[in-house]
Amino acid sequence: METKIIPINENHIDREALRPAAEILASGGLVAFPTETVYGLGANALDEEAVQNIFKAKGRPSDNPLIVHIAEKADILSIAAQIPKTAEMLMDAFFPGPLTLILPKREEISSVVTAGLSSVAVRMPVHPVARELIRLAGVPVAAPSANLSGKPSPTEARYVAEDMDGRIDAIIDGGACSVGVESTVVDLTGSHAVLLRPGGVTFEQIQAILPDAEIDRHVLCQVTAIEKPKSPGMKYKHYAPDAEVTVVEGEEGKVHERITHLCHEAKKDGKRVGVLSMGKKHYRADCVLSGGTTSREYAKRLFSALREFDKRNIDIVFVEYKEEGGMGLAVKNRLYKSAGGNVIHV
Ligand code: TXA
Ligand code: MG
């Protein structure tokens, strides 16, 4: 299959250029598109066969459910069976935006989308290209991140092409994603709100609206083996580049000292060494990339950095991390997963 690349400027959306992509979606094809978080791989959520093709294209386990994307708040009524007051409050505050709500599903929503669960994930992206595409398609759009299963999520169209070229019908190139990590997932099916995945909306922001919200204990699990996760995605290997990743966490000076030592040892073993640093630091490594100084910057650069290390044939990556609130939780969660539990506290 030939994958068409469709460039669209998010500030001046050319509807005529976007329309063919919407038609592909409406007629059962697969289209990757930009959102504010990461690129999504979309299919008509009401077309079971199209949704099944998402799982095939990604190599995604069929027990990991998809998020249904909508263009207008009111569209949630055709996806979720009940909208509790807590959902209304979060929607008023954060829709459109990087927040996904888990709600009881309507019967019409296929169990292929929800992987057999009685709940469904719903999100209304704020990215103008994503919203216009969904609007033009005229259907809700099921979309996971547009990477091969297990790889870092793509934050630019060229990363989508690396994984998906020849596997899907089209990729809309709308430039780099501004948030860089996926949406925050909040489960509203229980007695109180539970954060299942930290993301573009911080836990502090959720708590400001729902003070009794909690963080699921698996969010900061260092190991990937989880017995009964609430979010099926939690139990799979994630965000992993080909290089081995080790996170070194703690006070800045100590982290620098330890990574300097680790680089030295790895070089002695003949390895090609990479470092992802917070701010600009000097290391004797084959490739040093800066994640920026704030956790927002770090979030934005994280996935592209992990992919760049692979392009430069790096064998082992050491990642600097310092505990922070806000977006720090989302960064930490992704780092721990990409490291598959390889975390050193100093
Ligand atoms: O920012 C995002 O959310 C991006 C963009 C494209 O919107 N999408 C995304 O999708 O990250 P995906 O499939 O890579 O991650 C969706 C997560 C998975 O961890 C999945 O297990 C969880 O949401 N999920 C989906 N439906 C669920 C449900 N009914 N209950 C619990 N977790 C669910
Ligand atoms: Mg994903």
Side-chain angles (χ1 to χ4, degrees):
M1 163 189 311
E2 202 199 322
T3 303
K4 239 184 281 169
I5 309 282
I6 307 172
I8 301 282
N9 180 338
E10 67 172 296
N11 300 312
H12 303 278
I13 294 180
D14 177 352
R15 271 203 194 83
E16 290 323 300
L18 199 53
R19 208 177 294 280
E23 279 162 12
I24 294 173
L25 278 181
S27 60
L30 300 185
V31 177
F33 60 97
T35 82
E36 66 277 20
T37 56
V38 300
Y39 274 73
L41 175 55
N44 176 356
L46 306 176
D47 180 337
E48 263 189 15
E49 208 180 310
V51 173
Q52 254 149 1
N53 286 334
I54 291 182
F55 288 89
K56 282 189 202 143
K58 278 185 63 99
R60 180 177 176 111
S62 59
D63 67 348
N64 194 2
L66 307 178
I67 298 172
V68 178
H69 296 67
I70 55 176
E72 304 297 335
K73 281 185 196 174
D75 294 345
I76 199 167
L77 298 170
S78 60
I79 314 289
Q82 292 141 39
I83 319 287
K85 181 83 187 122
T86 49
E88 277 173 26
M89 290 163 78
L90 291 183
M91 286 169 70
D92 283 345
F94 306 114
F95 271 24
L99 175 70
T100 295
L101 300 180
I102 309 293
L103 295 165
K105 85 172 183 80
R106 283 185 71 108
E107 227 166 85
E108 304 88 288
I109 302 298
S110 158
S111 63
V112 178
V113 173
T114 64
L117 297 177
S118 56
S119 61
V120 63
V122 192
R123 154 160 144 77
M124 178 179 173
V126 71
H127 196 293
V129 174
R131 285 185 68 191
E132 192 57 34
L133 175 72
I134 302 166
R135 215 175 277 138
L136 287 173
V139 291
V141 173
S145 49
N147 50 282
L148 284 175
S149 198
K151 290 286 157 202
S153 302
T155 51
E156 291 182 40
R158 62 191 167 113
Y159 299 133
V160 177
E162 272 174 20
D163 285 13
M164 291 297 160
D165 191 29
R167 296 173 164 258
I168 63 176
D169 297 288
I171 300 171
I172 299 172
D173 184 349
C177 302
S178 59
V179 177
V181 292
E182 301 86 344
S183 61
T184 302
V185 179
V186 177
D187 184 356
L188 295 176
T189 59
S191 58
H192 57 272
V194 180
L195 179 95
L196 300 183
R197 178 176 75 180
V201 174
T202 66
F203 181 62
E204 290 86 340
Q205 286 177 296
I206 301 288
Q207 256 191 333
I209 308 285
L210 303 176
D212 66 349
E214 283 178 10
I215 300 180
D216 188 272
R217 68 191 172 89
H218 294 122
V219 163
L220 285 178
C221 246
Q222 289 184 19
V223 284
T224 34
I226 292 175
E227 273 168 26
K228 268 198 170 170
K230 285 209 192 100
S231 189
M234 284 173 169
K235 69 174 185 268
Y236 292 109
K237 188 179 167 207
H238 257 97
Y239 318 121
D242 296 332
E244 184 189 325
V245 177
T246 298
V247 176
V248 182
E249 178 177 345
E251 185 268 314
E252 248 180 302
K254 284 189 184 153
V255 167
H256 185 257
E257 202 175 297
R258 176 64 73 92
I259 293 184
T260 300
H261 176 73
L262 289 167
C263 285
H264 182 73
E265 295 293 303
K267 291 297 298 172
K268 264 203 317 209
D269 291 345
K271 292 189 175 146
R272 279 181 60 77
V273 180
V275 178
L276 179 57
S277 67
M278 292 195 95
K280 278 211 161 47
K281 299 266 175 46
H282 178 73
Y283 285 106
R284 292 180 67 106
D286 298 285
C287 176
V288 181
L289 298 177
S290 168
T293 47
T294 65
S295 41
R296 273 210 182 264
E297 280 174 346
Y298 215 98
K300 188 170 174 174
R301 295 185 196 175
L302 177 60
F303 288 142
S304 65
L306 293 177
R307 282 179 180 262
E308 288 305 321
F309 287 123
D310 279 350
K311 282 205 193 117
R312 300 188 200 189
N313 293 312
I314 296 298
D315 301 306
I316 185 158
V317 178
F318 299 111
V319 181
E320 290 187 344
Y321 181 75
K322 185 178 72 196
E323 182 74 53
E324 260 183 43
M327 284 293 285
L329 185 65
V331 170
K332 185 171 174 170
N333 169 263
R334 305 311 188 273
L335 287 178
Y336 276 24
K337 291 199 168 180
S338 65
N342 253 335
V343 181
I344 299 174
H345 297 270
V346 292

